[in-house]
Amino acid sequence: MTGLFTPILAGAGAEFRIALRNRWVVIAVGVMALFATVLSATGSAPTGELGADRLSVTVASLTSLAVYLVPLVALLMSFDAVAGELERGTLSLVLTYPLARVELLLGKFLAHLLILALALAVGYAIAAGAALWADPRAAAGLPALWRLFWTSELLGATFIAIGYALSALARRPGAAAGLVIGLWLALIVLYDLGLLAAVVADSGGRFTTQVFPWMLIGNPADAFRLYNLAASEATAAAAGIGGAANAIPMSHALISILLWPLAALGFATLAFRKVIP
């Protein structure tokens, strides 16, 4: 069994060292640390009104931040994973080794997941430390922070795999970069705006009651946000989606969060198999 994972772990180690040289580890950790520090300093105002501890309120704010930041960091790390090696000519060399394409892809996947986990751990630890220092009740929010961590990792896994698929389809780093930014704008920004416009136009009709909930949990970013806010004691701190978080069963959002990384990785594997160096 160990022998089966040896090529994947070796590839992961090589990819992690490349990320270190390219400063991706430093960039990812620095971005998460910066935003977590800012939220820790400014996100505690509503605690008295909500009756929740400071860390729970900070987690609600971090959830709203992670919806935008985690997919963006994941896509930026993965957009040239295939296209970049194609352009540099290194993919042809790597594929001459006795290494299956799926093993090569899984090695990259593990390395990027590790980088993202480090960034999340540092950022969320800063938020937890600030909350615990300022509020003795903040320890009650640690389970919510842990839930945010592993769901953020799953959200990042989804977009890392999607980035691989787009990289394989584009075959050029410039085109891949345009595709991932367009995808981020479509799924993270424009998707919710489109749903909001449809709900307003529907005026409480069939779309609002039957279609809208399924379209929310069908988007990995919205499923992530709904699951974390539905389980949070400070849902009211995140305006706009608190009602939806209470209306949609947590189990539905959790299933979406768990299935999306698998589906995205399967799609990336299929796209990578069609690449001819």
Side-chain angles (χ1 to χ4, degrees):
M1 182 65 70
T2 304
L4 293 176
F5 290 100
T6 299
I8 298 175
L9 294 177
E15 190 68 27
F16 188 82
R17 289 190 291 272
I18 291 172
L20 277 175
R21 289 198 299 269
N22 293 338
R23 302 292 188 269
W24 266 119
V25 177
V26 175
I27 292 171
V29 171
V31 167
M32 289 302 303
L34 174 63
F35 281 98
T37 301
V38 172
L39 281 180
S40 299
T42 62
S44 60
T47 54
E49 299 175 6
L50 295 175
D53 62 275
R54 176 167 178 164
L55 183 54
S56 293
V57 175
T58 301
V59 166
S61 299
L62 285 172
T63 299
S64 298
L65 171 67
V67 165
Y68 296 95
L69 195 57
V70 170
L72 182 61
V73 171
L75 288 170
L76 290 178
M77 284 195 299
S78 61
F79 80 91
D80 70 339
V82 178
E85 292 202 17
L86 270 173
E87 187 175 74
R88 293 187 294 270
T90 56
L91 185 60
S92 300
L93 176 62
V94 172
L95 291 178
T96 61
Y97 299 140
L99 181 69
R101 293 194 179 207
V102 66
E103 292 174 333
L104 176 61
L105 198 66
L106 287 176
K108 292 177 178 290
F109 190 63
L110 287 178
H112 287 141
L113 282 181
L114 178 57
I115 295 169
L116 183 62
L118 287 173
L120 292 171
V122 170
Y124 293 168
I126 291 173
L132 290 168
W133 178 77
D135 182 2
R137 301 180 302 148
L142 289 175
L145 186 66
W146 168 244
R147 181 175 57 249
L148 178 64
F149 174 80
W150 64 261
T151 53
S152 296
E153 187 73 357
L154 288 175
L155 178 65
T158 297
F159 282 90
I160 287 171
I162 291 175
Y164 294 158
L166 295 180
S167 184
L169 293 173
R171 303 183 180 227
R172 293 182 180 274
L179 285 176
V180 298
I181 295 301
L183 178 76
W184 182 83
L185 286 172
L187 284 183
I188 309 302
V189 180
L190 300 179
Y191 189 89
D192 287 346
L193 292 177
L195 287 183
L196 178 60
V199 167
V200 171
D202 187 55
S203 299
R206 182 177 179 181
F207 176 85
T208 303
T209 58
Q210 298 182 25
V211 179
F212 175 69
W214 292 105
M215 292 193 71
L216 271 182
I217 62 174
N219 184 325
D222 283 332
F224 161 82
R225 180 161 45 185
L226 288 169
Y227 178 73
N228 281 283
L229 293 181
S232 174
E233 296 180 1
T235 300
I241 203 167
N246 293 325
I248 298 174
M250 286 178 56
S251 59
H252 292 178
L254 178 59
I255 290 171
S256 177
I257 293 171
L258 295 174
L259 290 181
W260 260 107
L262 299 176
L265 190 56
F267 179 51
T269 302
L270 291 175
F272 188 41
R273 284 177 177 173
K274 296 181 181 297
V275 174
I276 301 176

